[in-house]
Amino acid sequence: MDHFQLKDGVLHAENVALPAIAEQVGTPVYVYSRATLERHARVFREGLKDAGKIHLAFAVKSNPNLAVLKILANQGYGADVVSGGELERALAAGMKAEDIVFSGVGKSSAELMLGLDKGIGQFNLESEEEGQMLAEIAAARGEQAPATLRVNPDVDAGTHAKISTGKAENKFGVAIDVAPDIFARLSKLDGLNLRGVAVHIGSQLQKLDPLEKCYTRMGQLVSDLRAAGHTITHVDLGGGLGVPYKPEESPPSPADYGAMIARVTQGWDVTLMFEPGRVIAGNSGVMMTQVIRIKPGVNSDFVIVDAAMNDLMRPAIYDAWHHFEAVRPTGETMTASIVGPICESSDIFAKERDVDRVQTDDFGIFRTAGAYGATMANTYNSRPLVPEVLVDGNKFAVVAERIEPATIMAAEHVPDWLK
Ligand code: LLP
């Protein structure tokens, strides 16, 4: 459920008519709903009510906007971060250091140091080598870094290949069959408090079966590690729950997910940690755009909009579907390809799709753009960096400004020897 609905024939975000935002901020623009973010945060937590002791760490990569992070901090969420930059953001948004988990396959020594400086709650180690590096840095400071070992369970998540992370050939974690040996060696190091294991097999999962298979393997690993004399107090189950991008899709609900977790992890006696991103932020945001003009095509018309692949990259890189709707729908439809102004054929949001009929200057939205939307935007073709707006009831605020090419050019320099 989200708060982007028609009222008197006009799409609103909560109680704000979307054209009011377009008038004031311009387009393209991301619009987030505070009520939807809060609702999703609550529903995810409630889904896990029978899962025992839990720790929720919002996957910052899905939407790192400070205002969004602040909302989640207020909901009692910590953060799953994958870079020093994300770590700084989570802290700046008011998340407590001890609620922050540092994931990521290539943490540098500077980033490990930063995590220790800030006193974060946990490092999820992606390799034995990273564990050794962290142990060395922590021991030199007379500290013990809290850590888990990320395991690659060799499970096919059944999602897009580019967002699958738990197959043996993927770069993430250590293979499950060698995990006990690596765990044993790392647990002897003075600088580490190796207290558990972590896993994450992919994103936008449409079924619970791969997750159940993965978690069952993790349960066996926890038993094996305990049998070998290790103390296991934390298991990080990652993120990955999918969201509906098309109206007819119905991925598992947080309640279904939570029921499976409660069943599979019964008796583990650990703190279960979660790193949800998309399921919280996805349907909490839309990207609004304006039609520049309509151009006839061979198979169908092209609706050329002022948003492009640089603003929302998912269709171009994952062939992702984002539902398009007119902000003032007339009830009529058209078959059209919705494209941006960028000089690439991959700059296409919808191919020969039946959509609400729109005309030049009309506004439209792409739904389910709150996760992996603005965060992946860039300035290709020297376009501005897309702004973000947060709606709360009948008010709204710009929470990320449009960054104009002039600002970006100001950070570029032509060396004297070219002048
Ligand atoms: N934890 C780890 C270690 C991750 O790698 C990810 C996502 C998450 C948690 C959050 O997963 P979620 O709950 O959001 O599925 N850019 C892609 C998605 C990349 C996901 C990367 N890792 C997209 O637009 O679909």
Side-chain angles (χ1 to χ4, degrees):
M1 208 224 108
D2 63 64
H3 294 75
F4 299 93
Q5 306 292 341
L6 280 174
K7 287 181 190 166
D8 299 327
V10 182
L11 264 178
H12 281 59
E14 303 191 19
N15 296 325
V16 176
L18 288 178
I21 295 175
E23 256 164 50
Q24 199 170 312
V25 187
T27 53
V29 59
Y30 279 87
V31 182
Y32 308 129
S33 153
R34 175 182 180 174
T36 311
L37 280 162
E38 288 177 345
R39 185 189 139 78
H40 290 176
R42 210 171 45 240
V43 167
F44 190 78
R45 185 189 290 284
E46 281 167 9
L48 292 164
K49 64 183 186 321
D50 297 325
K53 192 160 181 240
I54 60 167
H55 174 82
L56 299 174
F58 176 64
V60 172
K61 65 171 81 67
S62 67
N63 191 324
N65 183 278
L66 288 175
V68 169
L69 296 185
K70 178 75 188 156
I71 289 171
L72 289 157
N74 290 345
Q75 293 292 312
Y77 278 61
D80 160 48
V81 303
V82 292
S83 68
E86 287 192 351
L87 175 50
E88 299 281 13
R89 275 179 179 275
L91 291 171
M95 280 160 171
K96 289 196 223 104
E98 67 256 35
D99 291 339
I100 296 177
V101 178
F102 203 153
S103 305
V105 78
K107 301 176 208 70
S108 67
S109 57
E111 287 175 320
L112 295 173
M113 201 94 76
L114 179 70
L116 290 172
D117 282 345
K118 302 294 182 187
I120 64 162
Q122 182 171 297
F123 294 85
N124 288 351
L125 303 173
E126 294 264 356
S127 63
E128 182 165 9
E129 294 73 12
E130 183 188 312
Q132 287 162 343
M133 183 187 261
L134 177 61
E136 226 169 84
I137 297 171
R141 301 160 58 114
E143 294 174 24
Q144 269 210 327
T148 65
L149 180 62
R150 178 166 175 184
V151 172
N152 184 325
D154 194 19
V155 170
D156 185 351
T159 186
H160 194 286
K162 288 186 182 163
I163 50 175
S164 289
T165 53
K167 285 284 291 164
E169 66 265 27
N170 296 136
K171 66 181 174 180
F172 301 95
V174 301
I176 194 158
D177 51 334
V178 295
D181 288 346
I182 295 177
F183 197 101
R185 290 195 290 272
L186 288 178
S187 65
K188 292 202 185 87
L189 302 179
D190 282 344
L192 287 186
N193 166 21
L194 194 59
R195 60 189 199 177
V197 284
V199 76
H200 172 80
I201 58 170
S203 197
Q204 182 54 8
L205 270 64
Q206 293 294 312
K207 294 213 161 58
L208 289 179
D209 305 359
L211 287 168
E212 177 157 358
K213 198 166 163 191
C214 161
Y215 297 161
T216 304
R217 287 187 187 169
M218 295 302 281
Q220 186 57 49
L221 178 63
V222 169
S223 303
D224 294 350
L225 290 170
R226 283 183 171 150
H230 301 294
T231 304
I232 303 295
T233 57
H234 291 72
V235 178
D236 188 334
L237 298 179
L241 202 55
V243 299
Y245 281 92
K246 295 181 183 172
E248 67 271 22
E249 282 175 348
S250 55
S253 67
D256 298 339
Y257 176 70
M260 179 275 283
I261 300 270
R263 181 162 46 77
V264 175
T265 66
Q266 209 182 8
W268 285 16
D269 191 24
V270 293
T271 297
L272 290 177
M273 306 174 77
F274 297 90
E275 303 170 351
R278 191 186 317 259
V279 72
I280 307 286
N283 279 312
S284 304
V286 300
M287 183 180 66
M288 179 162 46
T289 185
Q290 186 170 27
V291 178
I292 295 176
R293 71 178 60 86
I294 305 204
K295 159 178 167 166
V298 174
N299 294 327
S300 69
D301 285 352
F302 289 108
V303 173
I304 305 170
V305 295
D306 66 357
M309 62 187 281
N310 69 301
D311 303 306
L312 175 62
M313 291 188 69
R314 303 193 67 260
I317 58 180
Y318 314 119
D319 294 320
W321 174 294
H322 285 267
H323 197 65
F324 178 81
E325 279 172 45
V327 165
R328 287 193 178 90
T330 58
E332 283 179 68
T333 58
M334 66 197 288
T335 305
S337 290
I338 305 177
V339 300
I342 281 184
C343 306
E344 288 203 26
S345 293
S346 55
D347 185 22
I348 176 163
F349 293 109
K351 188 167 183 218
E352 293 158 24
R353 199 190 281 179
D354 291 332
V355 292
D356 286 346
R357 177 170 294 281
V358 283
Q359 294 178 347
T360 300
D361 291 341
D362 283 355
F363 297 114
I365 60 161
F366 292 101
R367 281 190 179 264
T368 321
Y372 307 109
T375 181
M376 291 171 66
N378 57 67
T379 61
Y380 184 41
N381 274 206
S382 286
R383 292 166 51 83
L385 193 62
V386 61
E388 297 162 83
V389 162
L390 178 69
V391 171
D392 177 13
N394 51 19
K395 61 177 184 287
F396 69 90
V398 174
V399 293
E401 292 172 21
R402 188 183 311 280
I403 299 179
E404 299 291 351
T407 309
I408 293 165
M409 274 192 287
E412 294 178 23
H413 308 287
V414 179
D416 280 346
W417 39 262
L418 280 182
K419 286 179 185 159

